[in-house]
Amino acid sequence: MSDAYLVIEQSKHMEGTLEVSGAKNATLPLMAATILTEEPCIIRNVPNLLDIKNMIELLSDMGKKITMDKNTLCIEGPILNKETREDIVRKMRASVLVMGPLIAKYKSGKVSMPGGCSIGARPIDQHLKAAKKIGVDIEIEQGFINLKAQNLNPIDFRFDMITVTGTENVFCMLSTLEDESILRNIALEPEVINLADALRQMGVLIEIDELERTAKIKGKKELKGFDIKVIPDRIEAGTFMVLALATGSKINIVNLNVNHIESVLQKLEIAGAKVDILSPDSVLVYPKEDKINPLYIETLEYPGFPTDMQAQFMSLLSIADGESTIVENIFENRFQHAQELARMGACIRIHSKTAYVKGVKSLKGAEVFSTDLRASAGLVIAGLMAEGKSIIRNIYHLDRGYDHIEQKLEKIGAKVKRINS
Ligand code: EPU
């Protein structure tokens, strides 16, 4: 793990354009889905991130031939080794996404059990419950999940809770079954829909009823390759919007999908941002007034307010004119950035899954530590807001999910430097 860190100085009233990259959380399931076929699969608009490199390493180790040209990945060929390398799974929980495709294509596999991470225990019981119902024998041994099936059966399955990668994994598991399956209480995140679009290109019939949160899936024994563009990263787009308001800047954010961030836009506008929608893929964000209004935020599954935007809003609200309330409903331990913000002078009280953020006049620069990917984005925003200089350590978290963020920010005048020690 690199010891690189960021040095940030207060940067206000910036102006310019920030371009949003493709979504990491859409790219990873698309990459895993290439296991379903030996035909070439093309994935465009791929972000340049550590997690993507890890997934390339994982799939290459399993036998896939992979080439990357700028932002386009081509993945083809058979899987020769159906076991995932534990060291890679440790670096990236999303490796569990290979489980569904391995079951569908090869009826067997050995997948390292992902552990918890700093934001929560993150069990995968729903992925396994659906797999068992489909007919997969599951044995957990020495930290590995052994998967073996004679036959795969269609299912009518209801998820006990809404899970993003769980839904993605089960979509893939069912994609080679010709009889219809029904999934209930599915996740509807745009990343799930991006995967469904790729599976349709492969020959799978998927009918999604968003109101009912159900999917009907009818697969095909032999699946074709696909050629798909990764959707814009709605969390990166949201991070840039919060940054605009938090630093009193006027920022044109391009290459996003406005429809994917409605819940974030609503909160930003109440907090005091003016958001001019210039086109479906471009917005101009700037402060409407001189103060930040406090908010009530509750994280929810899509289309609700995303947990992945909670840390960035906490930084913003730490200088609001009054007290804000943030309820984290998705992960049980996702407030670790609060204590780092407190080092910068923020006034935050946590009670169970609720954070009460009492606005202070300004944040002060400090040395702080990233605790997870989105927390680091929140700290970058805080560093740009804070008086003086801040140092943000453990930015390997940031590199997992933000494509060259400091280079993008420097272009709009932000004083941010990466130090590779
Ligand atoms: N859960 C279970 N059992 C399961 C699956 C989930 O109890 O079998 C619980 C989780 O512990 C959590 C909740 O259900 O409390 C939701 O978890 P979910 O499965 O939806 O999360 P995920 O699929 O592991 C994805 C993103 C996360 C994002 C969440 C929520 C990817 C690769 N990761 O995780 O992204 O926070 O959905 O939207 O898609 C990030 O990018 O920083 C990140 C953490």
Side-chain angles (χ1 to χ4, degrees):
M1 241 168 249
S2 106
D3 287 331
Y5 60 94
L6 292 181
V7 178
I8 302 185
E9 280 177 59
Q10 188 179 49
S11 310
K12 292 188 135 184
H13 312 299
M14 297 177 281
E15 277 196 31
T17 299
L18 288 174
E19 212 172 299
V20 175
S21 299
K24 159 183 90 77
N25 290 347
T27 311
L28 295 170
L30 289 169
M31 290 174 75
T34 64
I35 293 175
L36 292 166
T37 181
E38 294 183 14
E39 288 187 15
C41 297
I42 313 287
I43 310 176
R44 302 178 192 274
N45 197 30
V46 173
N48 190 349
L49 301 171
L50 204 56
D51 269 9
I52 303 300
K53 291 194 185 90
N54 285 332
M55 193 60 139
I56 291 177
E57 203 184 335
L58 186 80
L59 292 175
S60 304
D61 185 64
M62 296 171 82
K64 280 284 181 187
K65 297 271 166 292
I66 306 182
T67 52
M68 174 104 169
D69 180 19
K70 290 201 185 106
N71 293 95
T72 302
L73 269 174
C74 176
I75 307 182
E76 60 189 313
I79 291 292
L80 306 170
N81 160 27
K82 288 173 250 154
E83 188 171 324
T84 60
R85 254 176 49 199
E86 198 209 347
D87 59 320
I88 304 176
V89 176
R90 277 197 185 279
K91 283 190 258 180
M92 185 187 58
R93 298 191 80 265
S95 333
V96 75
L97 283 164
V98 302
M99 187 170 100
L102 279 178
I103 291 173
K105 174 83 176 158
Y106 298 102
K107 298 201 188 83
S108 71
K110 187 171 175 184
V111 181
S112 179
M113 184 80 160
C117 75
S118 64
I119 61 176
R122 307 185 73 177
I124 55 159
D125 56 297
Q126 298 300 303
H127 308 227
L128 298 178
K129 193 172 168 188
K132 268 188 196 151
K133 201 158 181 205
I134 292 170
V136 183
D137 280 334
I138 294 169
E139 250 180 57
I140 298 178
E141 199 187 16
Q142 293 287 312
F144 280 90
I145 314 167
N146 281 313
L147 308 153
K148 190 122 206 83
Q150 297 299 330
N151 290 305
L152 302 180
N153 313 306
I155 51 172
D156 183 336
F157 179 79
R158 184 178 177 83
F159 290 97
D160 295 334
M161 82 279 296
I162 297 170
T163 154
V164 177
T165 47
T167 302
E168 290 162 350
N169 240 338
V170 183
F171 273 15
C172 289
M173 269 177 223
L174 296 171
S175 61
T176 53
L177 266 84
E178 293 192 330
D179 291 327
E180 184 176 275
S181 289
I182 301 183
L183 297 177
R184 303 175 195 275
N185 203 26
I186 60 166
L188 296 170
E189 269 66 3
E191 298 77 36
V192 175
I193 307 303
N194 209 186
L195 172 68
D197 286 342
L199 292 174
R200 288 189 188 107
Q201 279 191 33
M202 297 180 98
V204 184
L205 290 176
I206 305 186
E207 220 178 277
I208 294 178
D209 183 330
E210 296 197 0
L211 281 180
E212 295 288 328
R213 276 197 183 270
T214 56
K216 289 185 184 158
I217 304 186
K218 244 176 151 174
K220 276 252 167 67
K221 277 219 160 59
E222 287 301 320
L223 295 173
K224 295 181 286 191
F226 60 82
D227 182 338
I228 202 153
K229 186 172 172 199
V230 174
I231 54 168
D233 193 323
R234 63 198 166 98
I235 305 301
E236 188 187 27
T239 302
F240 292 159
M241 290 180 175
V242 172
L243 184 143
L245 181 59
T247 58
S249 303
K250 191 167 194 176
I251 303 182
N252 184 199
I253 300 160
V254 299
N255 286 353
L256 79 170
N257 184 332
V258 176
N259 298 325
H260 291 169
I261 47 171
E262 259 174 42
S263 60
V264 172
L265 280 184
Q266 278 174 15
K267 292 295 177 192
L268 263 184
E269 283 178 336
I270 302 172
K274 180 83 177 68
V275 182
D276 296 339
I277 299 178
L278 307 177
S279 70
D281 65 359
S282 157
V283 294
L284 188 65
V285 186
Y286 50 97
K288 220 169 15 201
E289 43 196 347
D290 236 7
K291 63 178 176 85
I292 310 288
N293 302 312
L295 293 177
Y296 177 86
I297 291 178
E298 241 188 89
T299 64
L300 284 172
E301 297 85 6
Y302 189 85
F305 185 91
T307 172
D308 289 347
M309 284 303 302
Q310 182 255 102
Q312 301 88 318
F313 269 81
M314 189 180 278
S315 296
L316 168 75
L317 295 173
S318 66
I319 56 156
D321 226 10
E323 185 170 273
S324 301
T325 304
I326 304 179
V327 184
E328 172 56 59
N329 287 316
I330 308 294
F331 291 109
E332 68 273 19
N333 193 26
R334 213 177 195 181
F335 281 143
Q336 289 175 81
H337 40 281
Q339 67 205 42
E340 301 304 308
L341 286 174
R343 291 167 63 84
M344 302 175 89
C347 180
I348 303 166
R349 216 164 20 95
I350 304 218
H351 182 65
S352 177
K353 59 178 194 170
T354 306
Y356 302 93
V357 187
K358 196 166 162 204
V360 294
K361 215 165 151 284
S362 61
L363 293 181
K364 312 274 185 258
E367 179 173 1
V368 289
F369 289 78
S370 308
T371 47
D372 75 80
L373 165 55
R374 307 303 167 186
S376 19
L379 292 178
V380 169
I381 294 174
L384 294 168
M385 293 159 67
E387 289 168 9
K389 189 167 94 175
S390 296
I391 291 180
I392 310 203
R393 299 215 179 256
N394 294 353
I395 56 165
Y396 51 85
H397 289 296
L398 190 68
D399 295 337
R400 284 189 38 231
Y402 287 87
D403 187 352
H404 294 103
I405 193 166
E406 74 277 6
Q407 289 173 21
K408 289 188 183 183
L409 295 181
E410 269 176 347
K411 281 197 196 138
I412 59 162
K415 294 179 207 130
V416 44
K417 284 255 159 317
R418 172 185 291 259
I419 313 285
N420 291 307
S421 66

